[in-house]
Amino acid sequence: MREAYHVELENLASNLARMSGQVADAMERATRAMLDVDLALAEQVISDDVKVDDARAECEEQAYALLALQAPVATDLRTVLAAIHAAESLERMGDLALHVAKAARRRHPDPVLPEQVRPYFAEMGEAAVRLARQAEEVIKTKDVDAARSIETDDDRVDELHRHLFTVIMDREWPHGVAAAVDVTLLGRFFERYADHAVSVARRMVFVVTGKMPGYTGDNL
């Protein structure tokens, strides 16, 4: 019975890791759609979002079944609880990629971003996708050191996000209010996506150590 239970725990972790890969693919495609004014790619991200929603539902169903049927304790209980919270964060990451794709579709055939800010968003997109890929590996390996190391990319996204405000608030900003609003919203989507990836990694630290970074005085 216990062996079968731990197989179920491993299946749950595998499903979470696969979900992290899905949302990484979604943001990678959404970023390309935004930068390349690619309507077909934006539509793909939008239509694929239901798969992320379904994946969350499957993960939560597995987790609640394990709670109800097995009454886990200690590390096993932390694993199940972390999975429920991580699935929520991963679904939100998928939603944020969806928002980026919808912005690209809304402005098509025009670009949603002025040329002036495209390099910042290209870098933010690369960092965000890298964070999701790293979270996927952390879920698979439960490597605490790897979980802690993703903070660097998150800091860079935060830095770029803050810099965008200085760009759009400059008196010489030539692109008008609508473009400034788009830049503000899109920057927020990338910043929140990165934050959720860090949250997923923190949940894996909690599984291993029993302590939640950021809430116990420990810094991820």
Side-chain angles (χ1 to χ4, degrees):
M1 179 68 73
R2 295 299 297 174
E3 183 177 347
Y5 172 61
H6 281 99
V7 168
E8 288 300 313
L9 281 178
E10 288 299 321
N11 287 339
L12 177 57
S14 295
N15 287 339
L16 275 177
R18 183 163 55 251
M19 191 176 175
S20 191
Q22 285 179 306
V23 300
D25 290 343
M27 184 55 91
E28 186 171 38
R29 291 167 182 156
T31 302
R32 283 169 47 205
M34 175 185 66
L35 295 173
D36 298 344
V37 197
D38 189 327
L39 180 60
L41 201 54
E43 294 286 7
Q44 181 182 350
V45 174
I46 293 165
S47 63
D48 282 350
D49 183 63
V50 67
K51 297 178 182 178
V52 177
D53 295 340
D54 289 344
R56 178 193 177 176
E58 181 180 351
C59 286
E60 288 191 339
E61 184 177 344
Q62 283 181 287
Y64 287 127
L66 287 168
L67 285 175
L69 299 176
Q70 300 294 340
V73 296
T75 301
D76 291 347
L77 177 59
R78 294 200 299 268
T79 299
V80 176
L81 294 176
I84 293 170
H85 289 289
E88 181 182 2
S89 288
L90 289 166
E91 184 189 28
R92 184 58 183 148
M93 290 165 71
D95 289 340
L96 291 161
L98 173 69
H99 294 335
V100 173
K102 285 184 173 180
R105 183 178 68 176
R106 184 175 64 252
R107 294 300 185 192
H108 192 272
D110 296 320
V112 68
L113 294 174
E115 186 66 32
Q116 181 181 356
V117 298
R118 282 170 51 86
Y120 303 122
F121 279 94
E123 186 177 350
M124 289 176 77
E126 289 175 3
V129 172
R130 191 161 53 244
L131 280 163
R133 303 283 186 211
Q134 290 170 327
E136 179 182 2
E137 287 304 309
V138 167
I139 293 168
K140 291 177 180 177
T141 64
K142 296 184 175 64
D143 186 330
V144 171
D145 290 335
R148 296 177 188 278
S149 72
I150 76 172
E151 185 75 9
T152 300
D153 276 328
D154 182 51
D155 287 344
R156 181 56 181 157
V157 173
D158 289 342
E159 180 184 336
L160 288 164
H161 181 233
R162 288 192 297 270
H163 180 68
L164 286 171
F165 285 105
T166 68
V167 173
I168 64 175
M169 294 301 291
D170 192 292
R171 291 182 180 180
E172 302 302 319
W173 173 258
H175 307 290
V177 173
V181 170
D182 283 339
V183 169
T184 300
L185 289 175
L186 286 164
R188 179 62 172 166
F189 296 155
F190 282 96
E191 186 262 343
R192 292 301 299 146
Y193 182 100
D195 285 348
H196 281 293
V198 171
S199 177
V200 171
R202 285 178 169 169
R203 295 292 173 184
M204 297 306 107
V205 174
F206 170 68
V207 168
V208 175
T209 68
K211 297 179 180 180
M212 178 63 74
Y215 298 94
T216 63
D218 190 10
N219 291 317
L220 178 63

